[in-house]
Amino acid sequence: MILDILAIFLSVALVDNYVFSQTLGICPFLGVSSKPSTALGMGLAVTFVMTMSNAVTRLVFDLLLKGRFEYLQTVVFILIIASLVQLIEMMLKKLLPSLYGALGIYLPLITTNCAVLGAATNALGDQRASANILFSSFYGFSAAIGFTIAILIFAGVRARIDEESVPEPFRGTPITLIGAGITALVFNGLLAGIKF
Amino acid sequence: MFKTILKQFKEGVFDKNPLLVQILGVCASLAITTSVSNALYMGLAVTAVLVCSNLFVSLLRKFIPQQVRIAAYIVIISGFVTIVEMLMKAYLPSAAEKLGIFLPLIVVNCIILGRAEAYASQNAPFPSIIDGLAMGAGFTIALLLLGAIRELFGAGTLFGISIFGQSYTPIGILSSPPGAFIVLGCLIALMQYLKKDCPSMNSTQRRKSQSRMSKQGRIRHDP
């Protein structure tokens, strides 16, 4: 039990990091990583949504789709995620205005974050995470923590890139992507060979 | 007539290339371009979904209320993605296996929602179909380029056929995810070089950022 939880966390958050080794969620990774504070905000918002969306999609899959309408999985999951993001946004606005102030602008962006739909779909196929709804939700949480780690590390790297004078064709996105590639190389190299 | 179609294709492939100029659909492009054949299948799947969703969004553009249009587009897109996914699983099972999770993730590919919002919702069905084909072609060509570079130098093969022979030592990093970031970065840089005017850095912005640099000691780029 404890070992399974640890294995899910280590494999999803670090070894098979969603950004660096599965290349999911690259749009917000490139878009929001220009400052560490916004990167942290985005990471927290993604963690919040992913933990909840993995629980809800799993619940709906078990109750409604399993064995009967499995081909509707993609349609149902993306609708759940879109409405969940909307719901979380409204609830935060009403109940926790201070948290809404910090995360508010990132929430609408999350619907199109492919890591959220990816985590919901992956959790169904994962050997450990598919055991029950709690594991499934924890899988989403771990994936989001991995995303947050990646975006925070890269925000630091990017602050350094911005200080350099870059050859003209490489300015903007290209140098950001190459920087991300080298960061990914370091990150994956550090954890290479660990298998769960 | 023919001229406008040609112009749309030039925009889709070069001027407004979805991957290399608009930087959309990056996640799937990085993940599946380890080989040219994967890139081809992904490009064709995205093009098929793009053409169908553009057609239906365009046909329904007068009936979809403004407030719920994004939700409506997502339902249309996810419907077609499911159809493409089922067809590929039935007729090209090995390709569907290789694309894996990125096949259902076409739903959240920003290119498709972007074209529905920016083009198909304001234009007649026929130009929307052409727009879907042109943007799909641009995306497929970009994927093929990325896939060809990564497969040729990362594994020494093209479409699984050995090109350089036995003596070639593959550059392993190119077929791993970090290599994908770096090759895509270089391709976008090449595109910016070919277009001469860098979209994020035209001359007035450059002057501004240089003056800012002298003030703060650093350059800032827009994301």
Side-chain angles (χ1 to χ4, degrees):
Chain A
M1 174 81 185
I2 299 286
L3 265 179
D4 274 353
I5 288 179
L6 199 68
I8 290 177
F9 184 80
L10 288 178
S11 69
V12 179
L14 299 175
V15 179
D16 281 330
N17 186 286
Y18 261 45
V19 174
F20 288 144
S21 95
Q22 303 197 35
T23 62
L24 284 165
I26 302 296
C27 300
F29 175 72
L30 295 177
V32 202
S33 61
S34 46
K35 265 192 293 182
S37 56
T38 52
L40 188 65
M42 186 68 184
L44 288 178
V46 167
T47 310
F48 201 65
V49 171
M50 240 170 173
T51 313
M52 290 187 65
S53 77
N54 258 29
V56 176
T57 51
R58 177 61 198 258
L59 193 69
V60 171
F61 184 82
D62 280 355
L63 292 179
L64 292 176
L65 303 178
K66 204 173 190 177
R68 285 176 291 176
F69 308 113
E70 284 186 20
Y71 58 89
L72 283 178
Q73 190 187 318
T74 313
V75 183
V76 171
F77 278 16
I78 189 69
L79 284 176
I80 291 175
I81 290 167
S83 43
L84 194 71
V85 169
Q86 199 82 47
L87 197 73
I88 290 173
E89 197 182 347
M90 290 190 308
M91 273 170 59
L92 278 185
K93 208 174 192 172
K94 192 85 183 158
L95 301 173
L96 294 164
S98 57
L99 190 62
Y100 177 78
L103 305 183
I105 50 166
Y106 307 110
L107 282 171
L109 293 173
I110 292 176
T111 314
T112 52
N113 183 345
C114 55
V116 181
L117 184 60
T121 315
N122 268 341
L124 286 177
D126 189 89
Q127 195 195 337
R128 291 189 187 86
S130 55
N132 62 43
I133 187 166
L134 275 179
F135 278 31
S136 188
S137 177
F138 186 73
Y139 181 97
F141 174 78
S142 311
I145 292 293
F147 176 81
T148 312
I149 293 173
I151 199 170
L152 270 179
I153 293 177
F154 190 56
V157 173
R158 217 167 147 179
R160 300 296 294 266
I161 293 176
D162 286 351
E163 286 174 13
E164 306 298 327
S165 72
V166 177
E168 192 160 348
F170 278 91
R171 280 185 198 157
T173 319
I175 195 68
T176 313
L177 275 170
I178 292 170
I182 294 169
T183 316
L185 195 63
V186 173
F187 194 87
N188 293 350
L190 205 63
L191 298 159
I194 308 173
K195 279 278 165 278
F196 290 93
Chain B
M1 182 68 194
F2 186 69
K3 236 179 183 174
T4 49
I5 292 177
L6 210 66
K7 191 169 156 267
Q8 275 183 307
F9 267 95
K10 187 175 172 280
E11 261 190 5
V13 175
F14 194 74
D15 294 338
K16 285 188 187 166
N17 188 301
L19 182 60
L20 300 179
V21 177
Q22 302 188 54
I23 331 279
L24 296 174
V26 180
C27 305
S29 324
L30 292 177
I32 53 88
T33 49
T34 45
S35 73
V36 191
S37 51
N38 282 3
L40 185 64
Y41 287 129
M42 188 69 188
L44 292 181
V46 169
T47 309
V49 175
L50 192 54
V51 170
C52 295
S53 75
N54 261 11
L55 171 64
F56 272 72
V57 167
S58 171
L59 285 172
L60 294 169
R61 68 187 190 280
K62 299 209 172 86
F63 303 100
I64 296 175
Q66 186 70 15
Q67 292 85 355
V68 293
R69 65 184 196 286
I70 302 287
Y73 298 160
I74 287 179
V75 174
I76 293 173
I77 293 167
S78 57
F80 284 113
V81 169
T82 308
I83 292 171
V84 168
E85 195 186 345
M86 288 163 96
L87 284 175
M88 273 188 102
K89 274 187 180 149
Y91 293 105
L92 295 163
S94 63
E97 181 103 348
K98 275 190 195 130
L99 296 186
I101 189 173
F102 288 94
L103 203 47
L105 282 186
I106 296 176
V107 176
V108 278
N109 193 321
C110 340
I111 298 170
I112 297 168
L113 194 62
R115 289 329 283 176
E117 170 82 14
Y119 196 90
S121 59
Q122 290 147 17
N123 287 284
F126 183 70
S128 297
I129 293 179
I130 300 294
D131 181 73
L133 281 173
M135 286 293 161
F139 186 60
T140 310
I141 289 170
L143 282 186
L144 285 177
L145 257 176
L146 194 57
I149 294 172
R150 288 182 68 194
E151 193 184 343
L152 188 61
F153 297 110
T157 59
L158 269 184
F159 289 105
I161 302 158
S162 177
I163 300 288
F164 292 140
Q166 293 294 319
S167 57
Y168 178 70
T169 317
I171 310 168
I173 178 190
L174 288 183
S175 32
S176 67
F181 281 103
I182 294 170
V183 175
L184 181 63
C186 294
L187 278 180
I188 294 171
L190 181 70
M191 198 69 177
Q192 292 195 358
Y193 177 74
L194 289 177
K195 288 185 70 146
K196 287 291 180 197
D197 54 335
C198 307
S200 58
M201 269 276 156
N202 58 36
S203 55
T204 50
Q205 269 178 320
R206 200 181 312 136
R207 235 175 288 129
K208 234 186 274 171
S209 85
Q210 268 167 358
S211 67
R212 236 181 304 165
M213 182 174 65
S214 55
K215 261 182 231 155
Q216 307 173 347
R218 58 188 297 180
I219 312 171
R220 293 216 58 80
H221 296 303
D222 298 323

